[in-house]
Amino acid sequence: MDATAIRRATGIAGLVAAVLTLIELPLYFVYDGAPPDSNVLIRSMFGLAGLTLLVAFISGLGYLLKQTEYAWVGSVATTAGLMWLTVAFVSMGLEVGAVIQAPEPIDPTITVSGTYILYGTISRLLETLFFVTFGFAVLRTALLPRWAGWSALVLALINIAFVPSLFFGNRPADFYAANGWGTTASVGGLTMLWILAVGCALRTTPQQAPATG
C-alpha cells in the first residue's frame, strides 16, 4: 500500500472507531443505579469494536510519522497510543468479567475498583504522552493541518489536568473523582471527537509540504 492508501485507511478506521465509541458513551448514563447486564454487554461490544479499530488508527498514524524525519517521535506516539488502548481493553475486560460473574446486576464503574485509575490517571498520563508527541510531530511535519497539532496539545493539557483525580474518591457522579464522569467520560468524549475530526482530515486532505522554521 502506498502512503495515500494508508492515510485513507487510517482515516476510515478513526472515523468508525470514534462513531462506535460515541455511541457507547451515553449508554453509561441510562440508569441511575446498577444497570442490567444487557446494558453493560451492549455498550462493551461497541467499545471493544471501537478499540479494535483504534489499533489500526494509531498504527496508521505511527506509520505515516515514521516516514518523516521525526520517526522517533512517531514511535513514542505510537507506543503511548497502543499502551493506552491496552489499558482500555484490560479495563473493559475486568468490568465485563465482573458483570458476567455477579449473580445480581452491579455497577462495574464502582464495583470493579481495579479500573479506577486504569480508566482515570493511567489513561490520562498515556494520552498526554500521545498527544504531546503527536501534536509536536504534526506541527513539524505538516502531516495534517496545523489545527490537528495544536488541538492535540490542548488535549494533552486537559489530560494532564485530570492526573491528580486519584486523590478525589470513587464516586462516578463526581466530576473530578478517580472514576468520575469528568475524568473518564468527558475526556474520553473529547478524545473521540478529536479522532473523528482527524479521521476526516486524513480522508480529505493530502499531506502538505513540511513546515519550515
Side-chain angles (χ1 to χ4, degrees):
M1 296 176 69
D2 60 21
T4 299
I6 291 172
R7 279 178 68 90
R8 289 175 178 168
T10 301
I12 292 171
L15 282 170
V16 179
V19 169
L20 289 171
T21 307
L22 289 170
I23 292 172
E24 173 202 10
L25 283 177
L27 297 177
Y28 277 87
F29 302 97
V30 174
Y31 299 93
D32 290 332
D37 290 1
S38 59
N39 171 269
V40 178
L41 297 178
I42 290 170
R43 77 194 189 198
S44 296
M45 284 301 301
F46 280 110
L48 290 169
L51 289 173
T52 301
L53 287 168
L54 284 177
V55 172
F57 175 76
I58 297 291
S59 299
L61 290 179
Y63 175 86
L64 294 170
L65 286 172
K66 288 174 186 177
Q67 308 311 303
T68 72
E69 60 182 307
Y70 292 91
W72 179 79
V73 179
S75 294
V76 175
T78 305
T79 301
L82 292 177
M83 287 182 66
W84 159 51
L85 296 179
T86 300
V87 166
F89 271 118
V90 171
S91 301
M92 199 168 294
L94 290 172
E95 285 194 353
V96 173
V99 167
I100 292 172
Q101 182 187 40
E104 300 291 337
I106 62 171
D107 184 350
T109 63
I110 300 174
T111 306
V112 188
S113 59
T115 66
Y116 291 173
I117 67 167
L118 289 175
Y119 275 134
T121 296
I122 292 174
S123 290
R124 300 292 71 79
L125 284 168
L126 290 171
E127 285 190 50
T128 296
L129 181 56
F130 168 75
F131 283 124
V132 167
T133 49
F134 179 81
F136 172 79
V138 166
L139 292 174
R140 299 301 297 175
T141 64
L143 176 71
L144 285 160
R146 292 181 69 81
W147 64 258
W150 286 117
S151 58
L153 297 179
V154 170
L155 282 171
L157 292 175
I158 293 173
N159 273 273
I160 203 70
F162 281 91
V163 169
S165 61
L166 60 87
F167 292 102
F168 293 88
N170 67 329
R171 291 184 70 248
D174 292 341
F175 179 77
Y176 201 76
N179 57 341
W181 64 271
T183 308
T184 56
S186 296
V187 179
L190 289 174
T191 299
M192 289 306 120
L193 291 174
W194 180 85
I195 290 174
L196 190 68
V198 169
C200 289
L202 284 166
R203 286 269 297 131
T204 59
T205 60
Q207 184 169 346
Q208 305 167 39
T212 59

